[in-house]
Amino acid sequence: MANLSGKVAIVTGAGQGIGRGIALRLARDGAIVVATDITGKENEVAEEVRKLGGQGMALRLDVTDGKMAEEVARTVFDKYGHIDILVNNAGIYPFKPFMEMTFNDWYRVINVNLNGVFNVTRAVVPYMVKQKNGRIINIASIAGAVMGFMGLTHYSASKAGIVGFTRALALELARYGITVNAIAPGAINTPGAATGSEEQVRMMINAIPMGKLGTPEDIASAVAYLASDEASYITGALIVIDGGWSIT
Ligand code: NAP
């Protein structure tokens, strides 16, 4: 367990899947967790946090809305007096072959996955700069950031973009004691990812050296580590968590 006692963490897309796993893990480690999402499920996650004996709240946040992101950051700062951890997790991955891709398909994915990371980070960074302390953890993907994936050109571009953003921002914020890192998950068992047929899932598992899908907790434990004092000298890094899939 990481010691995150009293640290205030904002998690985007926290209503289910990896975001929910991150929110619960950070709460278990003592953080005050602000679970945000567009679905309403953020309220259930905040309730789960309370049941664990943790603290925090739920807020609606559409990451594509920069003004809403500013309001969320202000609300969190006004309530708790600091914002220590931001986890940019919200993301969508609608498969579409490139030859069928419309402008809207492309812009929607870039808007949620990449502009969303910019919007929320832009809203939170001024508070972290004033504190001279902060942890920003961006959830990328092995798709785009490490390897190619059929049907995911838009998604891969957005996730490779997150890695570039992470490295450049890490340089700009190091002098303020703020670290910026990214995590590239492989195939993680989440509601959003549960769209493939049994046959497709079996083929994917066969391609993964560890022979199984990852869990939200596998990602959450790396987030907890990057958010902890143990990781204070790590910045601009990309941590791949994929059961060895991308090294085959
Ligand atoms: P998920 O189960 O679909 O959960 C994502 C949550 O984010 C959902 O509640 C979703 O709402 C929400 N969301 C969508 N658009 C949003 C917006 N504009 N603003 C705020 N929240 C929004 O996804 P997941 O599988 O946990 O994935 C989480 C992150 O990990 C994503 O960035 C994804 O790209 C990345 N990732 C996942 C995998 C994997 O195998 N699962 C692998 C690599 C990377 P809706 O349900 O309404 O869309």
Side-chain angles (χ1 to χ4, degrees):
M1 302 284 274
N3 182 4
L4 303 177
S5 229
K7 306 253 188 218
V8 174
I10 299 175
V11 184
T12 70
Q16 66 177 34
I18 293 173
R20 172 178 169 273
I22 292 168
L24 296 179
R25 170 64 197 258
L26 296 183
R28 279 197 190 95
D29 289 358
I32 298 164
V33 175
V34 180
T36 74
D37 206 307
I38 48 170
T39 56
K41 288 186 189 160
E42 63 274 15
N43 295 305
E44 293 163 28
V45 172
E47 189 50 40
E48 286 186 81
V49 164
R50 278 189 285 276
K51 281 191 185 141
L52 287 172
Q55 295 179 61
M57 63 176 163
L59 289 175
R60 193 187 137 77
L61 172 57
D62 179 342
V63 297
T64 66
D65 185 335
K67 290 272 169 248
M68 198 184 281
E70 285 177 359
E71 277 163 34
V72 163
R74 198 176 313 118
T75 303
V76 173
F77 184 80
D78 288 349
K79 188 167 165 77
Y80 299 113
H82 47 116
I83 306 174
D84 306 294
I85 302 159
L86 168 63
V87 186
N88 284 308
N89 164 77
I92 55 174
Y93 35 92
F95 282 79
K96 196 70 158 306
F98 179 72
M99 309 261 265
E100 292 168 22
M101 194 168 292
T102 64
F103 287 116
N104 273 349
D105 292 330
W106 177 270
Y107 289 129
R108 184 164 162 261
V109 168
I110 298 295
N111 204 24
V112 175
N113 293 7
L114 187 55
N115 298 345
V117 170
F118 168 74
N119 289 335
V120 186
T121 305
R122 180 185 164 280
V124 166
V125 159
Y127 299 100
M128 291 183 168
V129 166
K130 258 187 233 146
Q131 293 162 191
K132 289 213 172 337
N133 170 51
R135 297 297 163 88
I136 299 169
I137 299 152
N138 299 322
I139 306 302
S141 170
I142 56 169
V146 185
M147 58 198 275
F149 268 85
M150 302 270 285
L152 285 176
T153 50
H154 47 3
Y155 179 82
S156 301
S158 73
K159 295 300 187 177
I162 286 176
V163 176
F165 174 81
T166 299
R167 291 181 180 139
L169 189 64
L171 292 178
E172 291 197 30
L173 298 185
R175 75 193 68 172
Y176 303 104
I178 302 167
T179 66
V180 190
N181 292 292
I183 292 173
I188 308 299
N189 195 0
T190 66
T195 51
S197 67
E198 267 183 41
E199 177 58 20
Q200 284 169 324
V201 173
R202 208 172 318 114
M203 277 169 59
M204 197 158 58
I205 288 174
N206 284 341
I208 299 171
M210 297 206 74
K212 58 181 181 180
L213 301 178
T215 64
E217 292 70 32
D218 291 325
I219 308 304
S221 55
V223 171
Y225 170 65
L226 288 172
S228 76
D229 290 346
E230 305 290 315
S232 59
Y233 199 57
I234 301 177
T235 197
L238 174 67
I239 299 184
V240 175
I241 304 174
D242 67 350
W245 193 5
S246 61
I247 52 165
T248 56

